[in-house]
Amino acid sequence: MEFSYDVEGGNFAKAGNAASSVKKVLKQLNVDPKVIKRIVVALYEGEVNVVAHAYKGKVLVDIDTDRIYIKIEDEGPGIPDIDLAMQVGYSTASAMVREMGFGAGMGLPNMKRNADKINISSKVGEGTIVELTTNLSS
Amino acid sequence: MASTIKVRQIAELLNANVVCGNEMLENDIKCAFASDLMSDVLTLESDQLVLITGLTNMQTVRTAEMADLDCVVFVRGKKVTPEMIEVASENNTVLMECEFSMFRTIGVLHDAGVNPVY
Ligand SMILES: Nc1ncnc2c1ncn2[C@@H]1O[C@H](COP(=O)(O)OP(=O)(O)OP(=O)(O)O)[C@@H](O)[C@H]1O
Ligand SMILES: [Mg+2]
């Protein structure tokens, strides 16, 4: 099964639409709630990163019987130093983003912890691609 | 110290207005966490958790949905919007509005024996 969702930069109210819809699908597939939580928390953090740090993006989700693959791709400033961005507490979030409830520098490390596999590639001035793969059986 | 507390007892102790999730009032809560930063909340692994926050927007309700939070208490008299109620109701999240400050809310629940996450 494949799904795709658009993500608007700056629009916090809509962040989570993809994660919410994926959660419903995984529930219907009777995936263990603990596994669902790991997947949708990581996806939600990814959506929020596009909203908070990029201009616009797309979420592609591919679900098969034993794994979920998620690709979060954006047009934005890119991440100059991915290792630094992955560190707990590192954040360039604006005051506006913090007022919206984000910007603790926890998102990327939390995505890494919750996914079985994470791959991040980024080009400064162009955008960022985050790929998450997780097994559906617990 | 009580090891669990009912959602209804939390509402009574805080003199809070339950805006949605009245069907879940008899559910048990095991621990509490207080934060206005949702990415901190999204790192928690506990079940049966109440979140105490001053952040009243869709992000709080979405965070509750993704992290499977049972109950959210909005402090300092912050008001919940109809859109928040709609999403929270879909996901069986109890939302409460409380007039107390964050500090007082936490103090009351702590005195009642509600456990911290860590
Ligand atoms: N899609 C992206 N485009 C550009 N920069 C990004 C993107 N995602 C993350 N970053 C950069 O990496 C930093 C760390 O990201 P991370 O998600 O860990 O924390 P945060 O988004 O700042 O705060 P939090 O996720 O805790 O709300 C960000 O502050 C930003 O500088
Ligand atoms: Mg983030």
Side-chain angles (χ1 to χ4, degrees):
Chain A
M1 275 186 286
E2 285 188 27
F3 304 89
S4 89
Y5 309 88
D6 290 323
V7 185
E8 257 176 69
N11 192 342
F12 276 90
K14 278 198 195 155
N17 280 359
S20 182
S21 141
V22 166
K23 182 169 184 176
K24 289 188 180 89
V25 172
L26 294 176
K27 258 187 177 169
Q28 281 198 327
L29 295 173
N30 283 319
V31 175
D32 179 345
K34 285 206 159 60
V35 176
I36 296 181
K37 176 171 166 176
R38 289 175 53 216
I39 293 165
V40 300
V41 161
L43 173 52
Y44 182 47
E45 289 281 14
E47 279 183 78
V48 170
N49 275 354
V50 175
V51 172
H53 307 296
Y55 316 134
K56 65 173 186 171
K58 225 181 182 84
V59 175
L60 294 168
V61 180
D62 180 57
I63 302 174
D64 68 27
T65 45
D66 48 50
R67 68 109 184 84
I68 181 168
Y69 166 81
I70 297 170
K71 180 163 142 181
I72 306 156
E73 195 171 5
D74 71 56
E75 291 171 27
I79 305 176
D81 185 340
I82 293 175
D83 288 338
L84 181 62
M86 290 300 294
Q87 283 178 22
V88 168
Y90 177 81
S91 176
T92 62
S94 62
M96 189 273 256
V97 169
R98 278 194 301 275
E99 262 167 46
M100 291 291 129
F102 287 88
M106 301 297 293
L108 288 173
N110 200 25
M111 287 162 79
K112 181 178 174 161
R113 196 172 59 108
N114 280 302
D116 289 343
K117 207 175 130 211
I118 184 168
N119 187 53
I120 304 175
S121 55
S122 190
K123 268 207 184 116
V124 173
E126 288 186 21
T128 302
I129 299 176
V130 180
E131 293 168 288
L132 305 165
T133 311
T134 300
N135 270 317
L136 293 181
S137 50
S138 32
Chain B
M1 296 272 263
S3 56
T4 65
I5 186 166
K6 295 210 179 290
V7 173
R8 178 180 43 75
Q9 290 174 286
I10 292 177
E12 284 165 9
L13 285 164
L14 299 176
N15 196 17
N17 175 29
V18 178
V19 290
C20 68
N22 276 296
E23 335 66 87
M24 270 86 66
L25 287 180
E26 296 309 313
N27 287 5
D28 287 321
I29 295 293
K30 281 187 191 152
C31 53
F33 189 75
S35 181
D36 287 350
L37 277 177
M38 294 303 113
S39 32
D40 271 340
V41 178
L42 287 163
T43 63
L44 303 177
E45 282 169 5
S46 323
D47 296 321
Q48 296 175 285
L49 182 126
V50 56
L51 171 67
I52 299 138
T53 186
L55 185 80
T56 318
N57 59 26
M58 279 304 291
Q59 290 81 280
T60 313
V61 176
R62 285 290 179 212
T63 296
E65 174 185 3
M66 303 316 155
D68 293 329
L69 307 185
D70 292 72
C71 179
V72 181
V73 177
F74 297 97
V75 297
R76 302 195 289 272
K78 296 284 175 68
K79 296 293 175 228
V80 169
T81 65
E83 198 191 2
M84 289 168 66
I85 295 177
E86 192 186 315
V87 173
S89 304
E90 243 177 60
N91 298 302
N92 297 324
T93 315
V94 182
L95 302 184
M96 289 182 203
E97 295 168 341
C98 169
E99 296 295 325
F100 297 174
S101 66
M102 175 84 101
F103 185 77
R104 181 168 172 196
T105 304
I106 294 167
V108 168
L109 295 182
H110 188 269
D111 286 349
V114 179
N115 295 308
V117 177
Y118 55 81

